[in-house]
Coordinates of all heavy atoms in Angstrom, one line a residue:
M119 N 55.4 -12.1 -12.6 CA 54.5 -11.4 -13.5 C 53.1 -12.2 -13.5 O 52.9 -13.2 -12.8 CB 55.0 -11.3 -14.9 CG 56.2 -10.3 -15.0 SD 55.8 -8.7 -14.3 CE 54.5 -8.2 -15.4
A120 N 52.2 -11.7 -14.3 CA 50.9 -12.2 -14.3 C 50.8 -13.6 -14.7 O 51.6 -14.1 -15.6 CB 50.0 -11.4 -15.2
D121 N 50.0 -14.4 -14.1 CA 49.7 -15.8 -14.4 C 49.1 -15.8 -15.8 O 48.1 -15.1 -16.1 CB 48.7 -16.3 -13.4 CG 48.5 -17.8 -13.6 OD1 48.5 -18.2 -14.8 OD2 48.3 -18.5 -12.6
D122 N 49.6 -16.6 -16.7 CA 49.1 -16.6 -18.1 C 47.7 -17.0 -18.2 O 47.0 -16.6 -19.2 CB 50.0 -17.6 -18.9 CG 51.4 -17.0 -19.2 OD1 51.5 -15.8 -19.0 OD2 52.2 -17.8 -19.5
S123 N 47.2 -17.7 -17.2 CA 45.8 -18.2 -17.3 C 44.8 -17.1 -17.0 O 43.6 -17.3 -17.2 CB 45.6 -19.4 -16.4 OG 45.8 -19.0 -15.1
C124 N 45.2 -16.0 -16.4 CA 44.3 -15.0 -15.9 C 44.3 -13.8 -16.9 O 45.2 -13.0 -17.0 CB 44.6 -14.5 -14.5 SG 43.6 -13.1 -14.1
T125 N 43.2 -13.7 -17.7 CA 43.1 -12.6 -18.7 C 42.7 -11.3 -18.0 O 42.9 -10.2 -18.5 CB 42.1 -13.0 -19.8 OG1 40.9 -13.3 -19.2 CG2 42.6 -14.1 -20.6
H126 N 42.1 -11.4 -16.8 CA 41.6 -10.2 -16.1 C 42.8 -9.4 -15.7 O 42.8 -8.1 -15.9 CB 40.8 -10.6 -14.8 CG 39.8 -11.6 -15.0 ND1 39.9 -13.0 -14.8 CD2 38.5 -11.5 -15.5 CE1 38.8 -13.6 -15.1 NE2 37.9 -12.7 -15.6
I127 N 43.8 -10.0 -15.1 CA 45.0 -9.2 -14.7 C 45.8 -8.7 -15.9 O 46.2 -7.6 -15.9 CB 45.9 -10.0 -13.7 CG1 45.2 -10.2 -12.4 CG2 47.3 -9.4 -13.6 CD1 45.9 -11.1 -11.4
Q128 N 45.8 -9.5 -16.9 CA 46.5 -9.1 -18.2 C 45.9 -7.9 -18.8 O 46.6 -7.1 -19.4 CB 46.5 -10.3 -19.2 CG 47.5 -11.4 -18.8 CD 47.3 -12.6 -19.7 OE1 46.5 -12.6 -20.6 NE2 48.2 -13.6 -19.5
A129 N 44.6 -7.8 -18.6 CA 43.8 -6.6 -19.2 C 44.1 -5.3 -18.5 O 43.7 -4.3 -19.0 CB 42.4 -7.0 -19.3
I130 N 44.6 -5.4 -17.3 CA 44.8 -4.1 -16.5 C 46.1 -3.4 -16.9 O 47.2 -4.0 -16.9 CB 44.8 -4.5 -15.0 CG1 43.4 -4.9 -14.6 CG2 45.3 -3.3 -14.2 CD1 43.3 -5.4 -13.2
T131 N 46.0 -2.2 -17.3 CA 47.1 -1.4 -17.7 C 47.5 -0.3 -16.7 O 48.6 0.0 -16.5 CB 46.9 -0.8 -19.1 OG1 45.7 -0.1 -19.1 CG2 46.9 -1.9 -20.2
D132 N 46.4 0.3 -16.1 CA 46.6 1.3 -15.1 C 46.0 0.8 -13.8 O 44.9 0.4 -13.8 CB 45.9 2.6 -15.5 CG 46.6 3.3 -16.7 OD1 47.8 3.4 -16.6 OD2 45.9 3.6 -17.6
I133 N 46.8 0.8 -12.8 CA 46.4 0.3 -11.5 C 45.6 1.4 -10.8 O 46.0 2.6 -10.7 CB 47.6 0.0 -10.5 CG1 48.5 -1.0 -11.3 CG2 47.1 -0.6 -9.2 CD1 48.0 -2.3 -11.6
K134 N 44.3 1.1 -10.4 CA 43.5 2.1 -9.7 C 44.0 2.2 -8.3 O 44.1 1.2 -7.6 CB 42.0 1.7 -9.8 CG 41.4 1.8 -11.1 CD 39.9 1.4 -11.1 CE 39.2 1.8 -12.4 NZ 39.7 1.0 -13.5
Q135 N 44.2 3.4 -7.8 CA 44.7 3.6 -6.5 C 43.5 4.1 -5.6 O 42.5 4.6 -6.2 CB 45.7 4.7 -6.4 CG 47.0 4.4 -7.3 CD 47.7 3.1 -6.7 OE1 47.7 2.9 -5.5 NE2 48.4 2.4 -7.6
P136 N 43.5 3.8 -4.3 CA 42.4 4.2 -3.5 C 42.2 5.8 -3.4 O 43.2 6.5 -3.4 CB 42.8 3.7 -2.1 CG 44.2 3.5 -2.2 CD 44.6 3.2 -3.6
H137 N 40.9 6.2 -3.4 CA 40.6 7.6 -3.2 C 41.0 8.0 -1.8 O 41.6 9.1 -1.6 CB 39.1 7.9 -3.4 CG 38.6 7.6 -4.8 ND1 39.1 8.3 -5.9 CD2 37.7 6.7 -5.3 CE1 38.5 7.8 -7.0 NE2 37.6 6.9 -6.6
K138 N 40.5 7.2 -0.9 CA 40.8 7.4 0.6 C 41.2 6.1 1.1 O 40.7 5.1 0.7 CB 39.5 7.9 1.3 CG 39.0 9.2 1.0 CD 37.9 9.5 1.9 CE 37.2 10.9 1.5 NZ 36.0 11.1 2.3
R139 N 42.1 6.1 2.1 CA 42.6 4.9 2.7 C 41.6 4.5 3.9 O 42.1 4.4 5.0 CB 44.0 5.0 3.1 CG 44.9 5.0 1.9 CD 46.4 5.1 2.3 NE 47.2 5.4 1.1 CZ 47.6 4.5 0.2 NH1 47.4 3.2 0.4 NH2 48.3 4.9 -0.8
V140 N 40.4 4.2 3.5 CA 39.4 3.6 4.4 C 38.6 2.6 3.7 O 38.5 2.6 2.5 CB 38.4 4.7 5.0 CG1 39.2 5.8 5.7 CG2 37.6 5.3 3.9
C141 N 38.0 1.7 4.5 CA 37.0 0.7 3.9 C 35.7 1.4 3.9 O 35.2 1.8 4.9 CB 36.9 -0.6 4.7 SG 35.5 -1.6 4.1
E142 N 35.2 1.6 2.7 CA 33.9 2.4 2.5 C 32.8 1.8 3.3 O 31.9 2.5 3.8 CB 33.6 2.5 1.0 CG 34.6 3.2 0.2 CD 34.4 3.1 -1.3 OE1 33.4 2.6 -1.7 OE2 35.3 3.5 -2.1
E143 N 32.7 0.5 3.3 CA 31.6 -0.2 4.0 C 31.8 -0.2 5.5 O 30.8 -0.1 6.2 CB 31.5 -1.7 3.4 CG 31.1 -1.7 2.0 CD 29.7 -1.1 1.7 OE1 28.8 -1.2 2.5 OE2 29.6 -0.4 0.7
C144 N 33.0 -0.4 6.0 CA 33.3 -0.4 7.4 C 33.0 1.0 8.0 O 32.4 1.1 9.1 CB 34.7 -0.8 7.7 SG 35.0 -2.5 7.6
V145 N 33.3 2.0 7.2 CA 33.0 3.4 7.7 C 31.5 3.5 8.0 O 31.1 4.1 9.0 CB 33.5 4.4 6.7 CG1 32.9 5.8 6.9 CG2 35.0 4.5 6.7
K146 N 30.7 3.0 7.1 CA 29.2 3.1 7.2 C 28.7 2.4 8.5 O 27.7 2.9 9.1 CB 28.5 2.5 6.0 CG 28.7 3.2 4.7 CD 27.9 2.5 3.6 CE 28.3 3.0 2.2 NZ 27.9 2.1 1.2
I147 N 29.3 1.3 8.9 CA 28.8 0.6 10.0 C 29.7 0.7 11.3 O 29.4 0.1 12.3 CB 28.6 -0.9 9.7 CG1 30.0 -1.6 9.3 CG2 27.6 -1.1 8.6 CD1 29.9 -3.1 9.0
G148 N 30.7 1.6 11.2 CA 31.5 1.8 12.3 C 32.4 0.6 12.7 O 32.8 0.5 13.9
A149 N 32.8 -0.2 11.7 CA 33.6 -1.4 12.0 C 35.1 -1.0 11.7 O 35.4 0.0 11.2 CB 33.2 -2.5 11.1
R150 N 35.9 -2.0 12.2 CA 37.4 -1.8 11.9 C 37.8 -2.7 10.8 O 37.2 -3.7 10.6 CB 38.1 -2.1 13.2 CG 37.9 -1.1 14.3 CD 38.4 -1.6 15.6 NE 38.2 -0.6 16.7 CZ 39.2 0.0 17.3 NH1 40.5 -0.3 17.1 NH2 38.9 0.9 18.2
W151 N 39.0 -2.4 10.3 CA 39.6 -3.3 9.3 C 41.1 -3.4 9.5 O 41.6 -2.7 10.3 CB 39.3 -2.7 7.9 CG 39.9 -1.3 7.7 CD1 41.2 -1.0 7.3 CD2 39.3 -0.1 7.9 NE1 41.4 0.3 7.3 CE2 40.2 0.9 7.7 CE3 38.0 0.3 8.3 CZ2 39.9 2.3 7.8 CZ3 37.7 1.6 8.5 CH2 38.6 2.6 8.2
V152 N 41.7 -4.4 8.8 CA 43.1 -4.7 9.0 C 43.9 -4.1 7.8 O 44.7 -3.3 8.0 CB 43.3 -6.2 9.1 CG1 44.8 -6.5 9.3 CG2 42.6 -6.8 10.3
H153 N 43.6 -4.6 6.6 CA 44.2 -4.1 5.4 C 43.2 -3.7 4.4 O 42.0 -4.1 4.5 CB 45.1 -5.2 4.8 CG 46.3 -5.6 5.7 ND1 46.5 -6.9 6.0 CD2 47.2 -4.8 6.3 CE1 47.6 -6.9 6.8 NE2 48.0 -5.7 7.0
L154 N 43.6 -2.9 3.4 CA 42.7 -2.4 2.4 C 43.0 -2.9 1.0 O 44.2 -3.1 0.7 CB 42.7 -0.9 2.4 CG 42.2 -0.2 3.7 CD1 42.4 1.3 3.7 CD2 40.7 -0.5 3.9
R155 N 42.0 -3.1 0.2 CA 42.1 -3.5 -1.2 C 41.3 -2.6 -2.0 O 40.2 -2.2 -1.6 CB 41.6 -5.0 -1.3 CG 42.2 -6.0 -0.3 CD 43.7 -6.2 -0.5 NE 44.2 -7.1 0.5 CZ 45.3 -6.8 1.3 NH1 45.9 -5.6 1.2 NH2 45.8 -7.7 2.1
T156 N 41.7 -2.4 -3.3 CA 41.0 -1.5 -4.2 C 40.5 -2.3 -5.4 O 41.3 -3.0 -6.1 CB 41.8 -0.3 -4.6 OG1 42.2 0.4 -3.5 CG2 41.0 0.6 -5.6
C157 N 39.2 -2.3 -5.6 CA 38.6 -3.0 -6.8 C 39.1 -2.3 -8.0 O 39.0 -1.1 -8.2 CB 37.1 -2.9 -6.7 SG 36.3 -3.7 -8.1
Q158 N 39.6 -3.1 -9.0 CA 40.1 -2.6 -10.2 C 39.1 -2.3 -11.3 O 39.4 -1.8 -12.3 CB 41.2 -3.5 -10.7 CG 42.4 -3.5 -9.8 CD 43.1 -2.2 -9.6 OE1 43.6 -1.6 -10.5 NE2 43.0 -1.6 -8.4
Q159 N 37.8 -2.6 -11.0 CA 36.7 -2.4 -11.9 C 36.0 -1.1 -11.5 O 35.8 -0.2 -12.4 CB 35.7 -3.5 -11.9 CG 34.8 -3.4 -13.0 CD 34.7 -4.7 -13.8 OE1 35.6 -5.6 -13.7 NE2 33.7 -4.8 -14.7
C160 N 35.7 -0.9 -10.3 CA 34.9 0.3 -9.9 C 35.6 1.2 -8.9 O 35.0 2.2 -8.4 CB 33.5 -0.2 -9.3 SG 33.7 -1.0 -7.7
N161 N 36.8 0.9 -8.5 CA 37.7 1.7 -7.7 C 37.1 1.8 -6.2 O 37.5 2.7 -5.5 CB 37.8 3.1 -8.3 CG 39.2 3.7 -8.1 OD1 40.0 3.1 -7.4 ND2 39.4 4.8 -8.7
A162 N 36.3 0.9 -5.8 CA 35.9 0.8 -4.4 C 37.1 0.3 -3.6 O 37.7 -0.6 -3.9 CB 34.7 -0.1 -4.3
T163 N 37.3 0.9 -2.4 CA 38.3 0.5 -1.5 C 37.6 -0.2 -0.3 O 36.8 0.4 0.3 CB 39.2 1.7 -1.1 OG1 39.9 2.1 -2.3 CG2 40.3 1.2 -0.1
L164 N 38.0 -1.4 -0.1 CA 37.3 -2.3 0.9 C 38.4 -3.1 1.7 O 39.5 -3.1 1.3 CB 36.4 -3.2 0.1 CG 35.3 -2.4 -0.6 CD1 34.6 -3.3 -1.7 CD2 34.2 -1.9 0.3
C165 N 37.9 -3.8 2.7 CA 38.8 -4.4 3.6 C 39.1 -5.9 3.2 O 38.3 -6.5 2.5 CB 38.3 -4.4 5.1 SG 36.7 -5.0 5.3
C166 N 40.2 -6.4 3.7 CA 40.8 -7.7 3.3 C 40.2 -8.8 4.1 O 39.3 -8.6 5.0 CB 42.3 -7.7 3.6 SG 42.7 -7.7 5.3
D167 N 40.6 -10.0 3.8 CA 40.1 -11.2 4.4 C 40.6 -11.4 5.9 O 40.0 -12.2 6.6 CB 40.5 -12.5 3.6 CG 39.6 -12.7 2.4 OD1 38.7 -11.9 2.2 OD2 39.9 -13.6 1.6
S168 N 41.5 -10.6 6.3 CA 41.9 -10.7 7.7 C 41.1 -9.8 8.5 O 41.1 -9.8 9.8 CB 43.4 -10.2 7.8 OG 44.2 -11.0 7.1
S169 N 40.2 -9.0 7.9 CA 39.3 -8.0 8.6 C 38.0 -8.8 8.9 O 37.6 -9.7 8.2 CB 39.0 -6.8 7.7 OG 40.2 -6.3 7.2
P170 N 37.3 -8.3 10.0 CA 36.1 -9.1 10.4 C 35.1 -9.1 9.3 O 34.4 -10.1 9.2 CB 35.6 -8.2 11.6 CG 36.8 -7.5 12.1 CD 37.7 -7.3 10.9
N171 N 34.9 -8.1 8.5 CA 33.8 -8.1 7.6 C 34.2 -8.5 6.2 O 33.3 -8.7 5.3 CB 33.2 -6.7 7.6 CG 32.5 -6.4 8.9 OD1 31.5 -6.9 9.2 ND2 33.1 -5.5 9.7
Q172 N 35.4 -8.6 5.8 CA 35.9 -9.1 4.5 C 35.1 -8.5 3.4 O 34.6 -9.2 2.5 CB 35.8 -10.6 4.5 CG 36.5 -11.3 5.6 CD 36.5 -12.8 5.6 OE1 35.7 -13.4 4.8 NE2 37.3 -13.4 6.4
H173 N 35.0 -7.2 3.4 CA 34.2 -6.5 2.4 C 34.7 -6.6 1.0 O 33.9 -6.6 0.0 CB 34.1 -5.0 2.8 CG 33.1 -4.8 3.9 ND1 33.4 -4.1 5.0 CD2 31.8 -5.2 4.0 CE1 32.3 -4.0 5.8 NE2 31.4 -4.7 5.2
A174 N 36.0 -6.7 0.8 CA 36.6 -6.8 -0.6 C 36.1 -8.1 -1.2 O 35.7 -8.2 -2.4 CB 38.1 -6.7 -0.6
T175 N 36.2 -9.2 -0.5 CA 35.8 -10.5 -1.0 C 34.2 -10.5 -1.2 O 33.8 -11.0 -2.3 CB 36.2 -11.6 0.0 OG1 37.6 -11.7 0.0 CG2 35.7 -13.0 -0.5
K176 N 33.5 -10.0 -0.3 CA 32.0 -9.9 -0.5 C 31.7 -9.1 -1.7 O 30.8 -9.5 -2.5 CB 31.4 -9.3 0.7 CG 31.3 -10.2 1.9 CD 30.6 -9.5 3.1 CE 30.7 -10.4 4.3 NZ 30.4 -9.6 5.6
H177 N 32.4 -8.0 -1.9 CA 32.2 -7.2 -3.1 C 32.5 -7.9 -4.4 O 31.7 -7.9 -5.3 CB 33.0 -5.9 -3.0 CG 33.0 -5.0 -4.2 ND1 32.0 -4.2 -4.5 CD2 33.9 -4.9 -5.2 CE1 32.2 -3.6 -5.7 NE2 33.4 -4.0 -6.1
A178 N 33.6 -8.6 -4.4 CA 33.9 -9.4 -5.6 C 32.9 -10.4 -6.0 O 32.5 -10.6 -7.1 CB 35.3 -10.0 -5.4
H179 N 32.4 -11.1 -4.9 CA 31.4 -12.1 -5.2 C 30.0 -11.5 -5.6 O 29.4 -12.1 -6.5 CB 31.2 -13.0 -4.0 CG 32.4 -13.9 -3.8 ND1 32.8 -14.4 -2.6 CD2 33.4 -14.3 -4.6 CE1 33.9 -15.2 -2.7 NE2 34.3 -15.0 -3.9
S180 N 29.6 -10.4 -5.0 CA 28.3 -9.9 -5.3 C 28.3 -9.1 -6.6 O 27.3 -9.1 -7.3 CB 27.8 -9.0 -4.1 OG 28.6 -7.9 -3.9
S181 N 29.4 -8.5 -6.9 CA 29.4 -7.6 -8.1 C 30.0 -8.3 -9.3 O 29.7 -7.9 -10.4 CB 30.3 -6.4 -7.8 OG 31.7 -6.8 -7.7
G182 N 30.7 -9.4 -9.1 CA 31.4 -10.0 -10.2 C 32.7 -9.3 -10.7 O 33.3 -9.7 -11.7
H183 N 33.1 -8.3 -9.9 CA 34.4 -7.6 -10.3 C 35.5 -8.5 -9.9 O 35.7 -8.8 -8.7 CB 34.4 -6.3 -9.6 CG 33.4 -5.3 -10.0 ND1 33.1 -4.2 -9.3 CD2 32.5 -5.3 -11.0 CE1 32.1 -3.5 -9.9 NE2 31.7 -4.2 -10.9
P184 N 36.4 -8.9 -10.8 CA 37.3 -10.0 -10.5 C 38.6 -9.6 -9.8 O 39.1 -10.4 -9.0 CB 37.7 -10.5 -11.9 CG 37.5 -9.4 -12.8 CD 36.3 -8.6 -12.3
V185 N 39.1 -8.4 -10.0 CA 40.5 -8.1 -9.6 C 40.5 -7.0 -8.6 O 39.9 -5.9 -8.7 CB 41.4 -7.7 -10.8 CG1 42.8 -7.4 -10.4 CG2 41.4 -8.8 -11.9
I186 N 41.3 -7.2 -7.5 CA 41.6 -6.2 -6.5 C 43.2 -5.9 -6.6 O 43.9 -6.8 -6.9 CB 41.2 -6.6 -5.1 CG1 41.9 -8.0 -4.8 CG2 39.7 -6.6 -4.9 CD1 41.9 -8.3 -3.3
A187 N 43.5 -4.8 -6.1 CA 44.9 -4.4 -5.9 C 45.0 -4.2 -4.4 O 44.1 -3.7 -3.7 CB 45.3 -3.2 -6.6
S188 N 46.2 -4.4 -3.8 CA 46.4 -4.0 -2.4 C 46.4 -2.5 -2.4 O 47.0 -1.8 -3.3 CB 47.8 -4.5 -2.0 OG 48.0 -4.0 -0.7
A189 N 45.8 -1.9 -1.4 CA 45.8 -0.5 -1.2 C 46.7 -0.1 -0.1 O 46.7 1.0 0.4 CB 44.4 0.0 -0.9
E190 N 47.6 -1.0 0.4 CA 48.5 -0.8 1.4 C 49.8 -0.1 0.8 O 50.3 -0.6 -0.3 CB 48.9 -2.1 2.1 CG 47.8 -2.7 2.8 CD 47.2 -1.8 3.9 OE1 47.9 -1.3 4.7 OE2 45.9 -1.7 4.0
R191 N 50.3 0.8 1.5 CA 51.6 1.5 1.0 C 52.7 0.5 1.0 O 52.9 -0.3 1.9 CB 52.0 2.6 2.0 CG 51.1 3.8 2.0 CD 51.5 4.8 3.0 NE 50.4 5.7 3.5 CZ 49.9 6.7 2.8 NH1 50.4 7.1 1.7 NH2 48.9 7.4 3.3
G192 N 53.4 0.5 -0.1 CA 54.6 -0.4 -0.3 C 54.2 -1.7 -0.8 O 55.1 -2.5 -1.1
E193 N 52.9 -2.0 -1.0 CA 52.5 -3.3 -1.6 C 52.1 -3.0 -3.0 O 51.2 -2.2 -3.2 CB 51.4 -4.0 -0.7 CG 51.8 -4.4 0.6 CD 50.7 -5.2 1.3 OE1 49.7 -5.6 0.7 OE2 50.9 -5.5 2.5
R194 N 52.6 -3.8 -3.9 CA 52.3 -3.6 -5.3 C 51.9 -5.0 -5.9 O 52.7 -5.7 -6.5 CB 53.5 -3.0 -6.1 CG 53.8 -1.6 -5.6 CD 55.1 -1.2 -6.1 NE 55.1 -1.1 -7.6 CZ 54.7 0.0 -8.3 NH1 54.3 1.0 -7.6 NH2 54.8 0.0 -9.6
W195 N 50.6 -5.4 -5.7 CA 50.2 -6.6 -6.3 C 48.7 -6.6 -6.6 O 47.9 -5.8 -6.1 CB 50.5 -7.8 -5.3 CG 50.0 -7.7 -3.9 CD1 50.8 -7.3 -2.8 CD2 48.7 -8.0 -3.4 NE1 50.0 -7.4 -1.7 CE2 48.8 -7.8 -2.0 CE3 47.5 -8.4 -4.0 CZ2 47.6 -8.0 -1.2 CZ3 46.4 -8.6 -3.2 CH2 46.5 -8.4 -1.8
L196 N 48.3 -7.5 -7.5 CA 46.9 -7.7 -7.9 C 46.5 -9.1 -7.6 O 47.3 -10.0 -7.6 CB 46.8 -7.5 -9.4 CG 47.3 -6.1 -9.9 CD1 47.5 -6.2 -11.4 CD2 46.2 -5.1 -9.6
Y197 N 45.2 -9.3 -7.3 CA 44.7 -10.6 -7.1 C 43.4 -10.8 -7.9 O 42.5 -9.9 -7.9 CB 44.4 -10.8 -5.6 CG 43.8 -12.2 -5.4 CD1 44.6 -13.3 -5.4 CD2 42.5 -12.3 -5.1 CE1 44.0 -14.6 -5.2 CE2 41.9 -13.6 -4.9 CZ 42.7 -14.7 -5.0 OH 42.1 -15.9 -4.8
C198 N 43.2 -11.9 -8.6 CA 42.0 -12.2 -9.3 C 41.2 -13.3 -8.6 O 41.8 -14.4 -8.4 CB 42.3 -12.6 -10.7 SG 40.9 -13.2 -11.6
Y199 N 40.0 -13.0 -8.2 CA 39.2 -14.0 -7.5 C 38.8 -15.2 -8.3 O 39.0 -16.3 -7.9 CB 37.9 -13.3 -6.9 CG 38.2 -12.5 -5.7 CD1 38.4 -11.1 -5.8 CD2 38.3 -13.1 -4.5 CE1 38.7 -10.4 -4.6 CE2 38.5 -12.3 -3.3 CZ 38.7 -11.0 -3.4 OH 39.0 -10.2 -2.3
P200 N 38.2 -15.0 -9.5 CA 37.8 -16.2 -10.3 C 38.9 -17.1 -10.6 O 38.7 -18.4 -10.7 CB 37.1 -15.6 -11.5 CG 37.3 -14.2 -11.5 CD 37.7 -13.8 -10.1
D201 N 40.1 -16.6 -10.9 CA 41.2 -17.5 -11.3 C 42.2 -17.8 -10.1 O 43.1 -18.5 -10.3 CB 42.0 -16.8 -12.4 CG 41.3 -16.7 -13.7 OD1 40.6 -17.7 -14.1 OD2 41.2 -15.6 -14.3
D202 N 41.9 -17.2 -8.9 CA 42.8 -17.3 -7.8 C 44.3 -17.0 -8.2 O 45.2 -17.8 -7.9 CB 42.7 -18.7 -7.2 CG 43.4 -18.8 -5.9 OD1 43.6 -17.8 -5.2 OD2 43.8 -20.0 -5.5
A203 N 44.4 -16.0 -9.0 CA 45.7 -15.6 -9.6 C 46.3 -14.4 -8.8 O 45.5 -13.4 -8.5 CB 45.6 -15.3 -11.0
F204 N 47.6 -14.4 -8.6 CA 48.2 -13.3 -7.9 C 49.4 -12.8 -8.8 O 50.0 -13.6 -9.4 CB 48.8 -13.9 -6.6 CG 49.6 -13.0 -5.8 CD1 48.9 -12.1 -4.8 CD2 51.0 -12.9 -5.9 CE1 49.7 -11.3 -4.0 CE2 51.7 -12.0 -5.1 CZ 51.0 -11.2 -4.2
A205 N 49.5 -11.5 -8.9 CA 50.6 -10.9 -9.7 C 51.1 -9.7 -9.1 O 50.4 -8.8 -8.6 CB 50.1 -10.6 -11.1
E206 N 52.5 -9.5 -9.1 CA 53.1 -8.3 -8.6 C 53.3 -7.4 -9.8 O 53.4 -7.8 -10.9 CB 54.4 -8.6 -7.9 CG 54.2 -9.4 -6.6 CD 55.5 -9.5 -5.8 OE1 56.0 -8.5 -5.4 OE2 55.9 -10.7 -5.6
Y207 N 53.3 -6.1 -9.5 CA 53.5 -5.2 -10.6 C 54.6 -4.1 -10.3 O 55.0 -4.1 -9.1 CB 52.2 -4.5 -11.0 CG 51.6 -3.6 -10.0 CD1 52.0 -2.3 -9.8 CD2 50.7 -4.1 -9.1 CE1 51.4 -1.5 -8.9 CE2 50.1 -3.3 -8.1 CZ 50.5 -2.0 -8.0 OH 49.9 -1.2 -7.0
Ligands
ZN576 ZN1 41.4 -13.6 -13.8
ZN577 ZN1 35.2 -3.3 5.4
ZN578 ZN1 34.1 -3.3 -7.8

């Protein structure tokens, strides 16, 4: 369950699911991605750190939105950047 030290994940009650299973930023530049993550603040779906452009991490740092969820089918977890906290749901 959620790490007690992370209030960001504790505050999430409904997991935001991706609108489309694409990285919104990679689509604009014609890039490829490996896995997808969905920002739990603004619902942007972006690519993971295994992807060349790492848009989810860039988004978290530039926007200050702390928590992402995996947008991969069958994966049910949240990650908080500022606390480096991981939680399954
Ligand atoms: Zn947190
Ligand atoms: Zn991307
Ligand atoms: Zn966001």
